Amino acid sequence: MLDNSPVPSPCVRNCCLDDSDICLGCFRSLDEIRNWSNADNASRVQILHRAAARRQSHPTFLTNKDPSPQ
């Protein structure tokens, strides 16, 4: 049986846009955030993949991969 429930938003309620209009909380672009509520599940999955790629290439992620205290 297929699961037709909507893909949940990745929003972490920590919105702060960088100079490229990318949210530093969820790593979606401002356009992706605006379009989320009207996007179908396939589009939402694509947005999540792009956001994950942005997160992994973000300088903060690259320099702070281990969040445990030293």
Side-chain angles (χ1 to χ4, degrees):
M1 185 159 119
L2 293 175
D3 182 8
N4 291 328
S5 58
V7 174
S9 171
C11 182
V12 295
R13 307 283 190 248
N14 188 20
C15 302
C16 180
L17 299 177
D18 68 8
D19 293 337
S20 299
D21 284 340
I22 301 297
C23 176
L24 298 176
C26 68
F27 287 89
R28 290 180 293 168
S29 70
L30 184 56
D31 285 338
E32 290 168 341
I33 294 167
R34 277 191 224 146
N35 296 326
W36 184 265
S37 62
N38 295 322
D40 61 19
N41 277 352
S43 297
R44 288 180 175 194
V45 169
Q46 291 174 348
I47 291 169
L48 292 177
H49 285 295
R50 288 192 298 268
R54 286 186 202 110
R55 179 185 307 275
Q56 294 215 339
S57 65
H58 192 270
T60 302
F61 181 83
L62 294 174
T63 59
N64 191 19
K65 284 191 175 187
D66 182 9
S68 61
Q70 300 285 331

